[in-house]
Amino acid sequence: MIKLPSNYSTDTICSTFREDRKVCIPSISKRGDTDVKCSGELLFSESFENMDNWNHYVVFRGPHPYREGVAYKTSQANSYIKNQTLHIKVTNSTGETYLDNCSFFSIYKSQTDLICGIRDSKRRKFYKDNIMPPFDSAMLQSKEKFKYCRIDIEAKVAHGDFLLSGMQLATKNDAINIAIVRGHSKLNDTSNNEVGGTRVFVGVLKDSPNSADLKAHMADQFFSNDKHLGKKYHTYSAIWKNDSITFKLNGKTYAVFDHEETMAQIDMHEERYIQLFLTVGGELYYPDSRIHKGGRFLNSNPKIAPIIKSHVKTANWIEPKMSIKSIKVYSTDRNEY
């Protein structure tokens, strides 16, 4: 009888076996418009020597219904490469009231001014005093897109109150959340469950300009870790097929989405980009209906932005950045799990 190392899981054995096989297992994957012949082929590999494979998503995220405390920008202060590692960092706002290279999608037609900013000098003061996010950050999208795949992301998430690290397979209208981690050392929801940085949440997200239609938490599960996930690098994985999504942490499966109602919330047949971001607060991932933060931290509080900024100064962010060492995307097949 072969004795395996104690850190070997069944998932690890199966994955190693699949990768070592020389036979071609028919793939269900696509890279762009091209069918991939065999499962297990490396479709995309990023070790961050440069930013050539990425575009920046540039918008303000302060307006309703998101109410996030950031403007996503193209700035070396907020996204940069050091030692072949991508760092996405939150900094204090530089105060722009208009984004010249704004990423405008048709879903937001009614909110163009709020998402891209204000050019009109007469309206700038109102915008700056009432809506301007107190922080800048970055959201990156891959130039390449994929349809059905396995993705592995080696990352260290941010650590600090109201920081939110996100890794997704996204379209313009929805996303598969590969990993969502809140930065708090400790944070309870309204049912007194721990939802802070020792938990990685996964799920599906249907985006919408109407808060009633946002479905960030309608279908999510989580993995519980002993220590804050921002203390070291972990590998976050998802296997996306046409009828299921399997989620793993460090090679170990902890969630499988295969319920028809859950899958119907997003378009399972549309090609997806890799999306990486770091934000601060907001109704999407810190909803008033779910996260217990105390009355003054409610997203509906018109003074929430300066309150969070003041809180951050006294609470001290331990690490206000998400760092990503590598990303690998492989073709998959109907039987991989």
Side-chain angles (χ1 to χ4, degrees), residues 94-111:
T94 52
E96 290 97 332
T97 57
Y98 185 81
L99 301 174
D100 289 318
N101 54 345
C102 181
S103 303
F104 174 71
F105 291 155
S106 61
I107 189 175
Y108 304 114
K109 280 183 179 178
S110 63
Q111 296 185 341

PDB file of all heavy atoms in Angstrom, residues 94-111:
ATOM      1  N   THR A  94      -7.225  61.503  -5.456  1.00  0.00           N
ATOM      2  CA  THR A  94      -6.507  62.656  -5.993  1.00  0.00           C
ATOM      3  C   THR A  94      -7.455  63.786  -6.373  1.00  0.00           C
ATOM      4  O   THR A  94      -7.017  64.866  -6.766  1.00  0.00           O
ATOM      5  CB  THR A  94      -5.678  62.248  -7.233  1.00  0.00           C
ATOM      6  OG1 THR A  94      -6.528  61.563  -8.156  1.00  0.00           O
ATOM      7  CG2 THR A  94      -4.529  61.342  -6.830  1.00  0.00           C
ATOM      8  N   GLY A  95      -8.768  63.527  -6.298  1.00  0.00           N
ATOM      9  CA  GLY A  95      -9.746  64.600  -6.400  1.00  0.00           C
ATOM     10  C   GLY A  95     -10.290  64.941  -7.763  1.00  0.00           C
ATOM     11  O   GLY A  95     -11.000  65.941  -7.907  1.00  0.00           O
ATOM     12  N   GLU A  96      -9.991  64.145  -8.799  1.00  0.00           N
ATOM     13  CA  GLU A  96     -10.567  64.450 -10.112  1.00  0.00           C
ATOM     14  C   GLU A  96     -12.090  64.341 -10.067  1.00  0.00           C
ATOM     15  O   GLU A  96     -12.645  63.467  -9.410  1.00  0.00           O
ATOM     16  CB  GLU A  96     -10.057  63.483 -11.183  1.00  0.00           C
ATOM     17  CG  GLU A  96      -8.603  63.666 -11.541  1.00  0.00           C
ATOM     18  CD  GLU A  96      -7.698  62.704 -10.800  1.00  0.00           C
ATOM     19  OE1 GLU A  96      -8.061  62.285  -9.678  1.00  0.00           O
ATOM     20  OE2 GLU A  96      -6.649  62.364 -11.340  1.00  0.00           O
ATOM     21  N   THR A  97     -12.751  65.243 -10.815  1.00  0.00           N
ATOM     22  CA  THR A  97     -14.208  65.175 -10.903  1.00  0.00           C
ATOM     23  C   THR A  97     -14.675  64.628 -12.249  1.00  0.00           C
ATOM     24  O   THR A  97     -15.869  64.484 -12.471  1.00  0.00           O
ATOM     25  CB  THR A  97     -14.831  66.563 -10.687  1.00  0.00           C
ATOM     26  OG1 THR A  97     -14.285  67.471 -11.650  1.00  0.00           O
ATOM     27  CG2 THR A  97     -14.550  67.053  -9.276  1.00  0.00           C
ATOM     28  N   TYR A  98     -13.708  64.329 -13.159  1.00  0.00           N
ATOM     29  CA  TYR A  98     -14.076  63.716 -14.435  1.00  0.00           C
ATOM     30  C   TYR A  98     -12.970  62.763 -14.872  1.00  0.00           C
ATOM     31  O   TYR A  98     -11.783  63.068 -14.726  1.00  0.00           O
ATOM     32  CB  TYR A  98     -14.309  64.770 -15.522  1.00  0.00           C
ATOM     33  CG  TYR A  98     -14.805  64.157 -16.807  1.00  0.00           C
ATOM     34  CD1 TYR A  98     -16.157  63.836 -16.961  1.00  0.00           C
ATOM     35  CD2 TYR A  98     -13.920  63.852 -17.844  1.00  0.00           C
ATOM     36  CE1 TYR A  98     -16.614  63.231 -18.118  1.00  0.00           C
ATOM     37  CE2 TYR A  98     -14.376  63.253 -19.011  1.00  0.00           C
ATOM     38  CZ  TYR A  98     -15.723  62.935 -19.141  1.00  0.00           C
ATOM     39  OH  TYR A  98     -16.178  62.332 -20.271  1.00  0.00           O
ATOM     40  N   LEU A  99     -13.372  61.585 -15.394  1.00  0.00           N
ATOM     41  CA  LEU A  99     -12.420  60.579 -15.854  1.00  0.00           C
ATOM     42  C   LEU A  99     -12.371  60.610 -17.386  1.00  0.00           C
ATOM     43  O   LEU A  99     -13.317  60.202 -18.052  1.00  0.00           O
ATOM     44  CB  LEU A  99     -12.842  59.191 -15.362  1.00  0.00           C
ATOM     45  CG  LEU A  99     -12.950  59.040 -13.837  1.00  0.00           C
ATOM     46  CD1 LEU A  99     -13.510  57.672 -13.477  1.00  0.00           C
ATOM     47  CD2 LEU A  99     -11.587  59.246 -13.180  1.00  0.00           C
ATOM     48  N   ASP A 100     -11.278  61.089 -17.935  1.00  0.00           N
ATOM     49  CA  ASP A 100     -11.160  61.251 -19.391  1.00  0.00           C
ATOM     50  C   ASP A 100     -11.253  59.921 -20.140  1.00  0.00           C
ATOM     51  O   ASP A 100     -11.789  59.864 -21.240  1.00  0.00           O
ATOM     52  CB  ASP A 100      -9.829  61.931 -19.740  1.00  0.00           C
ATOM     53  CG  ASP A 100      -9.823  63.399 -19.340  1.00  0.00           C
ATOM     54  OD1 ASP A 100     -10.850  64.061 -19.566  1.00  0.00           O
ATOM     55  OD2 ASP A 100      -8.814  63.861 -18.795  1.00  0.00           O
ATOM     56  N   ASN A 101     -10.726  58.849 -19.564  1.00  0.00           N
ATOM     57  CA  ASN A 101     -10.738  57.545 -20.233  1.00  0.00           C
ATOM     58  C   ASN A 101     -11.773  56.620 -19.614  1.00  0.00           C
ATOM     59  O   ASN A 101     -11.546  55.424 -19.435  1.00  0.00           O
ATOM     60  CB  ASN A 101      -9.341  56.914 -20.193  1.00  0.00           C
ATOM     61  CG  ASN A 101      -8.792  56.822 -18.773  1.00  0.00           C
ATOM     62  OD1 ASN A 101      -9.318  57.460 -17.862  1.00  0.00           O
ATOM     63  ND2 ASN A 101      -7.742  56.047 -18.592  1.00  0.00           N
ATOM     64  N   CYS A 102     -12.924  57.169 -19.279  1.00  0.00           N
ATOM     65  CA  CYS A 102     -13.979  56.427 -18.581  1.00  0.00           C
ATOM     66  C   CYS A 102     -14.441  55.210 -19.389  1.00  0.00           C
ATOM     67  O   CYS A 102     -14.621  55.283 -20.608  1.00  0.00           O
ATOM     68  CB  CYS A 102     -15.161  57.353 -18.325  1.00  0.00           C
ATOM     69  SG  CYS A 102     -16.530  56.579 -17.444  1.00  0.00           S
ATOM     70  N   SER A 103     -14.633  54.100 -18.701  1.00  0.00           N
ATOM     71  CA  SER A 103     -15.149  52.877 -19.316  1.00  0.00           C
ATOM     72  C   SER A 103     -16.664  52.912 -19.222  1.00  0.00           C
ATOM     73  O   SER A 103     -17.242  52.572 -18.194  1.00  0.00           O
ATOM     74  CB  SER A 103     -14.612  51.645 -18.576  1.00  0.00           C
ATOM     75  OG  SER A 103     -13.213  51.639 -18.564  1.00  0.00           O
ATOM     76  N   PHE A 104     -17.301  53.329 -20.287  1.00  0.00           N
ATOM     77  CA  PHE A 104     -18.754  53.518 -20.260  1.00  0.00           C
ATOM     78  C   PHE A 104     -19.450  52.364 -20.950  1.00  0.00           C
ATOM     79  O   PHE A 104     -19.188  52.055 -22.103  1.00  0.00           O
ATOM     80  CB  PHE A 104     -19.134  54.829 -20.947  1.00  0.00           C
ATOM     81  CG  PHE A 104     -20.610  55.034 -21.077  1.00  0.00           C
ATOM     82  CD1 PHE A 104     -21.373  55.314 -19.952  1.00  0.00           C
ATOM     83  CD2 PHE A 104     -21.243  54.937 -22.295  1.00  0.00           C
ATOM     84  CE1 PHE A 104     -22.739  55.494 -20.062  1.00  0.00           C
ATOM     85  CE2 PHE A 104     -22.603  55.119 -22.415  1.00  0.00           C
ATOM     86  CZ  PHE A 104     -23.358  55.397 -21.293  1.00  0.00           C
ATOM     87  N   PHE A 105     -20.354  51.697 -20.221  1.00  0.00           N
ATOM     88  CA  PHE A 105     -21.151  50.613 -20.786  1.00  0.00           C
ATOM     89  C   PHE A 105     -22.608  51.073 -20.872  1.00  0.00           C
ATOM     90  O   PHE A 105     -23.085  51.840 -20.042  1.00  0.00           O
ATOM     91  CB  PHE A 105     -21.067  49.356 -19.911  1.00  0.00           C
ATOM     92  CG  PHE A 105     -19.720  48.706 -19.926  1.00  0.00           C
ATOM     93  CD1 PHE A 105     -19.309  47.928 -18.870  1.00  0.00           C
ATOM     94  CD2 PHE A 105     -18.855  48.872 -20.998  1.00  0.00           C
ATOM     95  CE1 PHE A 105     -18.064  47.315 -18.884  1.00  0.00           C
ATOM     96  CE2 PHE A 105     -17.611  48.270 -21.024  1.00  0.00           C
ATOM     97  CZ  PHE A 105     -17.209  47.493 -19.961  1.00  0.00           C
ATOM     98  N   SER A 106     -23.331  50.565 -21.875  1.00  0.00           N
ATOM     99  CA  SER A 106     -24.701  51.006 -22.128  1.00  0.00           C
ATOM    100  C   SER A 106     -25.645  50.728 -20.974  1.00  0.00           C
ATOM    101  O   SER A 106     -26.663  51.383 -20.821  1.00  0.00           O
ATOM    102  CB  SER A 106     -25.236  50.335 -23.392  1.00  0.00           C
ATOM    103  OG  SER A 106     -25.249  48.930 -23.247  1.00  0.00           O
ATOM    104  N   ILE A 107     -25.320  49.746 -20.110  1.00  0.00           N
ATOM    105  CA  ILE A 107     -26.198  49.422 -18.993  1.00  0.00           C
ATOM    106  C   ILE A 107     -26.361  50.625 -18.060  1.00  0.00           C
ATOM    107  O   ILE A 107     -27.328  50.732 -17.323  1.00  0.00           O
ATOM    108  CB  ILE A 107     -25.646  48.196 -18.223  1.00  0.00           C
ATOM    109  CG1 ILE A 107     -26.654  47.701 -17.182  1.00  0.00           C
ATOM    110  CG2 ILE A 107     -24.344  48.510 -17.547  1.00  0.00           C
ATOM    111  CD1 ILE A 107     -26.223  46.414 -16.479  1.00  0.00           C
ATOM    112  N   TYR A 108     -25.415  51.570 -18.109  1.00  0.00           N
ATOM    113  CA  TYR A 108     -25.419  52.697 -17.186  1.00  0.00           C
ATOM    114  C   TYR A 108     -25.873  54.012 -17.834  1.00  0.00           C
ATOM    115  O   TYR A 108     -25.512  55.086 -17.368  1.00  0.00           O
ATOM    116  CB  TYR A 108     -24.018  52.901 -16.600  1.00  0.00           C
ATOM    117  CG  TYR A 108     -23.452  51.700 -15.910  1.00  0.00           C
ATOM    118  CD1 TYR A 108     -22.337  51.040 -16.421  1.00  0.00           C
ATOM    119  CD2 TYR A 108     -24.018  51.223 -14.729  1.00  0.00           C
ATOM    120  CE1 TYR A 108     -21.808  49.941 -15.783  1.00  0.00           C
ATOM    121  CE2 TYR A 108     -23.489  50.120 -14.090  1.00  0.00           C
ATOM    122  CZ  TYR A 108     -22.384  49.486 -14.617  1.00  0.00           C
ATOM    123  OH  TYR A 108     -21.853  48.398 -13.985  1.00  0.00           O
ATOM    124  N   LYS A 109     -26.632  53.966 -18.909  1.00  0.00           N
ATOM    125  CA  LYS A 109     -26.976  55.176 -19.664  1.00  0.00           C
ATOM    126  C   LYS A 109     -27.562  56.279 -18.787  1.00  0.00           C
ATOM    127  O   LYS A 109     -27.273  57.457 -18.982  1.00  0.00           O
ATOM    128  CB  LYS A 109     -27.951  54.833 -20.781  1.00  0.00           C
ATOM    129  CG  LYS A 109     -27.271  54.244 -22.012  1.00  0.00           C
ATOM    130  CD  LYS A 109     -28.279  53.993 -23.125  1.00  0.00           C
ATOM    131  CE  LYS A 109     -27.578  53.433 -24.359  1.00  0.00           C
ATOM    132  NZ  LYS A 109     -28.533  53.131 -25.441  1.00  0.00           N
ATOM    133  N   SER A 110     -28.376  55.887 -17.820  1.00  0.00           N
ATOM    134  CA  SER A 110     -29.034  56.896 -16.985  1.00  0.00           C
ATOM    135  C   SER A 110     -28.093  57.515 -15.963  1.00  0.00           C
ATOM    136  O   SER A 110     -28.450  58.468 -15.288  1.00  0.00           O
ATOM    137  CB  SER A 110     -30.224  56.268 -16.241  1.00  0.00           C
ATOM    138  OG  SER A 110     -29.784  55.251 -15.361  1.00  0.00           O
ATOM    139  N   GLN A 111     -26.869  56.987 -15.854  1.00  0.00           N
ATOM    140  CA  GLN A 111     -25.964  57.473 -14.809  1.00  0.00           C
ATOM    141  C   GLN A 111     -24.614  57.923 -15.371  1.00  0.00           C
ATOM    142  O   GLN A 111     -23.614  57.937 -14.661  1.00  0.00           O
ATOM    143  CB  GLN A 111     -25.729  56.366 -13.779  1.00  0.00           C
ATOM    144  CG  GLN A 111     -26.974  55.945 -13.025  1.00  0.00           C
ATOM    145  CD  GLN A 111     -26.640  54.939 -11.936  1.00  0.00           C
ATOM    146  OE1 GLN A 111     -25.602  54.310 -11.953  1.00  0.00           O
ATOM    147  NE2 GLN A 111     -27.515  54.814 -10.970  1.00  0.00           N
TER     148      GLN A 111
END
